[in-house]
Amino acid sequence: MTAIALGRTRRTSLVSAVCALVVTGTGLLAGCSEDPDAGTNGVGKLPADKIQSKTRAAAESAEAVRLAGTVVTNGRTYTLDMRLKSGGGSGSVTSKGMSFGLLRIGEQLYLKADAEFWNHADGNASAGGTLDGKYVKVPQGDPSYKKFSGFTDKDVLLDGLLTLHGALATDGHHEQAGTRTIRITGDKGSGGTLDVSLEGTPYPLRLERAGGAGTLTFSSWGKDFPLTEPKKDETVDYGKKLPTS
């Protein structure tokens, strides 16, 4: 049994024990049962479509967020650990055993990877030695820019992710990393599931995408972080096109 499940069981058992001791002349004290929405932000009492509207609005208005997990797109799985805000983002991406870093400041996107990544992308060993561990400027006209910049764009990424498909419904109270949540589903889960925080602002905390297209967790909502330009000796401008296939 997980620590979260054990904690929930203990809390429920404690409430039941207390209620069993509190009696009146007619039996147990009325209302002595645990209210899953007690002390929450109240969204757990709303219909699923209202919960979705509120959590999307909360996500859009947040200054920053960290997301981690997997995204499957066009048959390819990407493992992400990204911090995002309106001015850009930074973090790491892994796909097909290859890892690389992304940094976007305004419109400028940088890609940082080791020699193995660049040698694989170039098809030979010509690029690896030069670009190993460097922040490589990604030209906006290069196919890689459109392919990877979306991973650093908070609004674009969240707008595409935080959509459940099919009929919406609530699916009970849960917990995510110790925070109480209300879960909403699309088409009874086949259209995706989303856990929404019941504590404080109703931010989305965990997403299972429809069709097994990945699972993501969201954290550090509203917590700013620095985006710093790489030093000149750490940067390579490869021109109008990267050595990628």
Side-chain angles (χ1 to χ4, degrees), residues 68-87:
T70 58
V71 173
V72 181
T73 178
N74 296 325
R76 188 167 180 174
T77 299
Y78 296 92
T79 300
L80 311 178
D81 188 354
M82 301 294 301
R83 298 195 69 178
L84 310 171
K85 61 182 181 179
S86 59

Side-chain angles (χ1 to χ4, degrees), residues 169-192:
T170 56
D171 187 28
H173 292 70
H174 301 266
E175 289 188 16
Q176 173 62 33
T179 299
R180 289 180 291 174
T181 66
I182 181 70
R183 181 171 297 169
I184 56 176
T185 66
D187 273 350
K188 299 180 179 180
S190 63

Side-chain angles (χ1 to χ4, degrees), residues 40-167:
T40 71
N41 53 27
V43 297
K45 298 179 180 180
L46 300 176
D49 61 332
K50 296 293 185 182
I51 297 173
Q52 184 180 54
S53 296
K54 283 187 172 293
T55 198
R56 287 182 68 93
E60 290 170 2
S61 63
E63 293 290 332
V65 64
R66 180 178 182 175
L67 62 85
T70 58
V71 173
V72 181
T73 178
N74 296 325
R76 188 167 180 174
T77 299
Y78 296 92
T79 300
L80 311 178
D81 188 354
M82 301 294 301
R83 298 195 69 178
L84 310 171
K85 61 182 181 179
S86 59
S90 65
S92 64
V93 180
T94 300
S95 180
K96 293 186 176 180
M98 295 286 181
S99 296
F100 54 93
L102 292 175
L103 169 65
R104 183 176 62 82
I105 303 174
E107 296 299 317
Q108 182 60 64
L109 177 67
Y110 300 89
L111 194 157
K112 183 179 181 181
D114 60 17
E116 183 182 3
F117 174 91
W118 291 111
N119 291 341
H120 176 79
D122 194 35
N124 56 59
S126 63
T130 303
L131 305 181
D132 182 24
K134 299 289 187 179
Y135 287 91
V136 179
K137 289 186 175 181
V138 182
Q140 291 190 31
D142 190 275
S144 296
Y145 188 93
K146 183 177 181 180
K147 183 177 181 180
F148 295 133
S149 63
F151 289 145
T152 67
D153 193 313
K154 171 181 174 288
D155 294 336
V156 169
L157 197 56
L158 292 182
D159 185 60
L161 290 173
L162 298 179
T163 299
L164 300 178
H165 302 280

